[in-house]
Amino acid sequence: MGIFEWPVRVYYEDTDAGGVVYHANYLKFFERARTEYIREKSGVSQQSLLEQSIGFVVRSVMIDYLKGAVLDDKLTVKTHICERKKVSLTFCQELVNDENQVLCKAIVKVACINNKKMKPISIPKDFFSESE
């Protein structure tokens, strides 16, 4: 499975009183990268999925903060699917700086659901190519 890369710039609003990225904002960076991963790899947007009552919800997150990012840093979120099941995907993600140092790592499990019934459903068979 290929690694998807999504660029991130650290803005003032991303930092805390100490001048480093606030811990919850790493989750936002990872969320945006997963959204763009799905858009690129499946060819569909989250909006079109919602119109079909299909959604992905976070079931669990394991995150490891290794080094802080600061204002104006140019970063990259590296994302790939490390496990695929009938109704869930597990994403392995890393946030790296321009020197390719890993600042933060996360393993995020998402479940595919019917948004109207709030029940798990199978991920559509044609959602990703077999190589993903």
Side-chain angles (χ1 to χ4, degrees):
M1 294 185 200
I3 294 177
F4 175 77
E5 296 187 357
W6 184 252
V8 172
R9 170 78 73 174
V10 176
Y11 296 103
Y12 185 76
E13 68 186 25
D14 297 319
T15 62
D16 62 14
V20 297
V21 172
Y22 182 67
H23 72 280
N25 288 335
Y26 292 93
L27 291 171
K28 292 178 182 182
F29 299 156
F30 289 143
E31 174 75 26
R32 291 174 190 152
R34 288 192 311 276
T35 297
E36 294 304 327
Y37 178 100
I38 289 171
R39 183 187 321 272
E40 181 169 301
K41 301 294 185 181
S42 71
V44 297
S45 69
Q46 296 282 351
Q47 182 61 38
S48 66
L49 290 173
L50 291 173
E51 290 168 0
Q52 301 171 59
S53 299
I54 298 172
F56 287 96
V57 294
V58 173
R59 186 171 186 287
S60 66
V61 175
M62 290 190 317
I63 193 162
D64 193 8
Y65 302 97
L66 303 170
K67 184 177 179 183
V70 296
L71 182 64
D72 285 334
D73 276 356
K74 288 173 66 175
L75 309 171
T76 302
V77 179
K78 296 183 178 184
T79 302
H80 71 278
I81 295 174
C82 47
E83 183 178 51
R84 182 178 176 170
K85 294 186 175 180
K86 184 177 179 180
V87 300
S88 68
L89 298 170
T90 302
F91 290 90
C92 291
Q93 297 184 277
E94 292 183 337
L95 183 70
V96 300
N97 63 16
D98 57 0
E99 297 170 359
N100 211 34
Q101 293 176 308
V102 178
L103 307 181
C104 186
K105 298 190 288 189
I107 299 173
V108 183
K109 185 172 188 174
V110 299
C112 186
I113 65 166
N114 176 304
N115 280 345
K116 291 185 180 170
K117 298 179 182 178
M118 297 305 285
K119 301 264 184 190
I121 59 171
S122 295
I123 297 168
K125 289 186 187 337
D126 61 348
F127 196 65
F128 296 117
S129 69
E130 289 303 312
S131 64
E132 295 306 319

